[in-house]
Amino acid sequence: MNRLTWQRALPRTKTLAIIPPFLWLALFLLVPFILVLKISFADLKFGIPPYTPLAEIKDQTLSLALNLRGYALLFSDSLYIATYLNSIKIAAITTICCILIGYPMAYYIARSRPSIRNILLLGVILPFWTSLLLRVYAWVGILRNDGLLNQLLQWLGLIDAPLEIYRTDMAVYIGLVYAYLPFFVLPLYASLVKFDLRLLEAAYDLGARPWRAFLSVTLPMSMPGVIAGAMLVFIPSVGEYVIPEMLGGANTLMMGRVMWTEFFNNADWPMAAAVTCVMVLMLLIPLVLFQYNQAKQLDAQDRGKR
């Protein structure tokens, strides 16, 4: 195959390569979202299913009924608004904590010798070999009043009375950071390990000190990894259910707990679907901004190569 023929066949090959991922996303993301969106415009009904149909044919007449009860209640009830804001706050603080803890970890792993690097990466990946439920339940035994942490602090003489951590927002932050820290470290490590160290050497030759070289060279070059890791932490943290349920208190308001309550305790599927749809659309905003930023960076790199 000559070069001209290969260049003509390249766009067709790219199209065929992206078809399977798009089909996967359409089947397991778009179709379920459309079903949930349909339920969100229904009305509550006692029966199976527990919601009214959107379209109904009666007397040779097709009637379409879109019920906005769930969305109206969602934006008028202060409880739901507070839950959204609290979920975003908890997810944002969790993401910031993961950045502060995970960046030094990823940097150290990327700069380690290859023989040690694999062991350190194994230490980051190792928690995934155990069920999340078991790992969170272990934190219950650590953080409760008679748990391992309070016993250790009392044995060392640092505290006189047990610390009230279990069933508080602090316990939720600890659990979220512990669970999602690897999701930040791994993308950032992948970005840092490919970093060209000659750029740092050039900065040192020009008189830059280590901290200045880090702020001017390493940090900007690693920002794609930071953003990707932050997205992987923030997005699932907003809708987290297991960790707030097991470690949080009654006042810990998060969307995952609200959706579970509406679906299974109240059997109000339209309301739960409305909560879900608004949350998904809210999370699409940072994803679109991230994708737009990535496209601009790739376009700038292509122009630089030309």
Side-chain angles (χ1 to χ4, degrees):
M1 181 182 296
N2 56 39
R3 183 175 182 181
L4 182 60
T5 306
W6 179 79
Q7 290 179 346
R8 291 177 177 176
L10 186 58
R12 186 180 303 173
T13 304
K14 290 182 178 180
T15 303
L16 294 175
I18 64 175
I19 287 178
F22 272 100
L23 291 177
W24 180 272
L25 290 175
L27 182 61
F28 293 101
L29 181 62
L30 183 60
V31 173
F33 178 74
I34 292 176
L35 294 176
V36 174
L37 183 63
K38 179 181 78 71
I39 297 174
S40 70
F41 288 108
D43 195 11
L44 180 63
K45 182 188 75 171
F46 292 99
I48 301 176
Y51 54 87
T52 58
L54 296 185
E56 187 177 6
I57 299 178
K58 188 176 182 180
D59 297 331
Q60 299 180 352
T61 302
L62 176 64
S63 58
L64 181 65
L66 297 180
N67 192 289
L68 301 178
R69 177 188 66 89
Y71 293 99
L73 183 60
L74 190 64
F75 292 105
S76 60
D77 194 332
S78 59
L79 176 64
Y80 293 106
I81 297 175
T83 302
Y84 275 113
L85 295 177
N86 194 61
S87 297
I88 294 174
K89 182 195 76 172
I90 291 178
I93 294 176
T94 300
T95 304
I96 294 172
C97 292
C98 286
I99 293 174
L100 296 177
I101 300 172
Y103 199 103
M105 291 176 59
Y107 187 87
Y108 180 78
I109 295 173
R111 295 294 178 265
S112 300
R113 298 194 306 270
S115 58
I116 302 178
R117 187 185 304 163
N118 295 332
I119 299 176
L120 296 176
L121 280 177
L122 181 63
V124 175
I125 301 172
L126 199 60
F128 290 113
W129 296 5
T130 308
S131 171
L132 174 64
L133 190 63
L134 294 177
R135 288 185 281 134
V136 176
Y137 192 75
W139 276 105
V140 174
I142 295 174
L143 298 178
R144 63 187 181 184
N145 291 351
D146 57 345
L148 296 177
L149 178 61
N150 280 310
Q151 290 182 8
L152 177 62
L153 294 178
Q154 286 179 324
W155 181 74
L156 294 174
L158 299 178
I159 59 174
D160 296 327
L163 298 176
E164 296 287 342
I165 301 177
Y166 181 53
R167 292 300 182 186
T168 64
D169 287 351
M170 178 60 67
V172 176
Y173 289 128
I174 293 173
L176 288 173
V177 171
Y178 166 77
Y180 290 106
L181 184 61
F183 290 94
F184 178 82
V185 172
L186 294 177
L188 181 58
Y189 161 78
S191 177
L192 289 172
V193 77
K194 296 183 294 185
F195 181 72
D196 191 354
L197 296 179
R198 292 177 297 181
L199 297 175
L200 288 178
E201 294 176 359
Y204 296 150
D205 292 339
L206 292 174
R209 295 186 177 182
W211 63 270
R212 182 65 179 176
F214 173 80
L215 294 177
S216 302
V217 180
T218 305
L219 186 59
M221 296 291 290
S222 63
M223 283 308 296
V226 173
I227 296 174
M231 291 293 107
L232 290 176
V233 173
F234 179 82
I235 291 174
S237 295
V238 172
E240 178 62 43
Y241 168 75
V242 174
I243 296 174
E245 180 67 21
M246 296 185 66
L247 298 179
N251 296 325
T252 304
L253 300 175
M254 290 200 70
M255 297 315 305
R257 301 181 74 179
V258 171
M259 285 186 286
W260 175 274
T261 301
E262 295 293 350
F263 265 119
F264 298 101
N265 294 346
N266 301 337
D268 193 347
W269 287 28
M271 189 66 218
V275 172
T276 305
C277 290
V278 172
M279 186 188 71
V280 171
L281 294 176
M282 179 180 65
L283 293 178
L284 284 177
I285 296 175
L287 284 177
V288 171
L289 294 176
F290 173 68
Q291 185 63 30
Y292 177 73
N293 183 54
Q294 291 291 98
K296 285 182 62 177
Q297 290 183 357
L298 291 175
D299 185 56
Q301 291 177 1
D302 292 339
R303 291 180 179 177
K305 292 179 180 179
R306 294 175 186 175

